[in-house]
Amino acid sequence: MEKKLEKIKKHVTECINCELSKTRTNSVPGKGNFKSDVIFVGEAPGKNEDMKGEPFIGIAGKKLSIALENVGITREQVYITNIVKCRPPKNRVPTEIERNTCKNYLKKEIEIIKPKIICILGNTAFNSLLDGKEIIKFRGKLVKKDNQLYFLTIHPAATIYNQKLTTVLKKDIKKLFKLVTEVKDKKEIKIDIEYTS
Ligand code: URA
């Protein structure tokens, strides 16, 4: 399992499949515990992530860490990744072409880790993975699609200047890990939205 992830990491590091490879400093593969029950999926690396080649290490990452620590979880215990693995110039939203070009990396990360729940952080991940819009209206919900569970919450960056949203993120992360425990205990859980394909 670890070896397979290392292989993806190498591919991501060397990837030149889209224009973002020309402007990046480093590509940013997913990072964390390959045995994690949860994969967190953000949008794309920002400036700090691009400099260091690690996901969620800037202010948004700090916000995510705080929400995790609030329920006694460290970053190292989970797996964190992004829809797009290279920084879009000026942190613009990645285009559909960039997202599509990058999507196989995430697909493989998910196949290898087989998380109990994928936690979608913000609109870009919501749109890319579930074709959704306006996560603020759907946050806190549990979704099932193709036998995979997804939990929806806001992007941690949204909490930077908004104390109310900090509380929302903490509340959602708490619910997420309660759901994970219930799934592991094989308890009956309430699915809020089910996609049928
Ligand atoms: N925002 C993201 O969506 N991902 C990161 O890795 C950092 C900030």
Side-chain angles (χ1 to χ4, degrees):
M1 185 144 84
E2 207 171 358
K3 276 214 178 111
K4 284 188 189 165
L5 273 177
E6 282 302 319
K7 211 167 150 187
I8 296 172
K9 192 172 169 183
K10 188 167 183 288
H11 286 157
V12 169
T13 308
E14 294 167 357
C15 183
I16 47 166
N17 292 346
C18 86
E19 291 291 300
L20 295 182
S21 60
K22 296 182 184 158
T23 50
R24 75 175 179 228
T25 313
N26 293 293
S27 43
V28 180
K31 191 168 188 242
N33 177 7
F34 57 92
K35 290 184 182 158
S36 176
D37 294 319
V38 183
I39 294 185
F40 288 87
V41 185
E43 177 180 279
K47 192 173 177 202
N48 292 291
E49 292 78 16
D50 172 73
M51 305 255 279
K52 251 194 119 183
E54 284 183 31
F56 280 98
I57 52 158
I59 310 179
K62 179 89 193 136
K63 293 285 182 182
L64 178 61
S65 297
I66 292 170
L68 288 171
E69 280 158 23
N70 186 49
V71 287
I73 307 268
T74 63
R75 291 174 62 106
E76 291 70 32
Q77 284 177 270
V78 298
Y79 189 85
I80 303 175
T81 193
N82 283 300
I83 291 291
V84 163
K85 313 298 195 218
C86 293
R87 183 192 183 200
K90 297 185 184 151
N91 295 347
R92 64 163 169 74
V93 177
T95 63
E96 201 160 336
I97 294 178
E98 289 156 359
R99 295 193 232 167
N100 279 333
T101 312
C102 216
K103 77 175 177 203
N104 261 337
Y105 294 129
L106 177 60
K107 190 167 172 258
K108 286 191 184 137
E109 289 173 298
I110 294 168
E111 275 168 16
I112 295 165
I113 296 172
K114 297 188 178 58
K116 300 261 185 292
I117 302 182
I118 295 172
C119 182
I120 289 186
L121 300 169
N123 273 315
T124 299
F126 186 32
N127 184 252
S128 306
L129 294 174
L130 297 174
D131 211 15
K133 281 193 185 88
E134 296 188 88
I135 195 136
I136 196 72
K137 290 189 185 160
F138 294 96
R139 54 139 287 272
K141 294 200 185 301
L142 187 67
V143 175
K144 192 171 186 182
K145 186 190 175 198
D146 298 334
N147 234 13
Q148 173 70 56
L149 292 175
Y150 297 82
F151 181 77
L152 310 177
T153 191
I154 54 173
H155 193 286
T159 70
I160 293 174
Y161 300 107
N162 190 326
Q163 191 52 43
K164 271 193 194 146
L165 290 183
T166 301
T167 310
V168 165
L169 183 65
K170 281 189 180 165
K171 185 177 162 202
D172 285 354
I173 297 294
K174 196 168 176 187
K175 180 172 177 189
L176 165 67
F177 283 96
K178 186 167 172 269
L179 286 166
V180 169
T181 307
E182 288 172 2
V183 172
K184 283 169 76 172
D185 292 347
K186 299 200 171 10
K187 288 208 177 115
E188 205 170 310
I189 45 163
K190 179 177 165 277
I191 312 277
D192 297 301
I193 305 167
E194 185 145 8
Y195 285 59
T196 40
S197 45

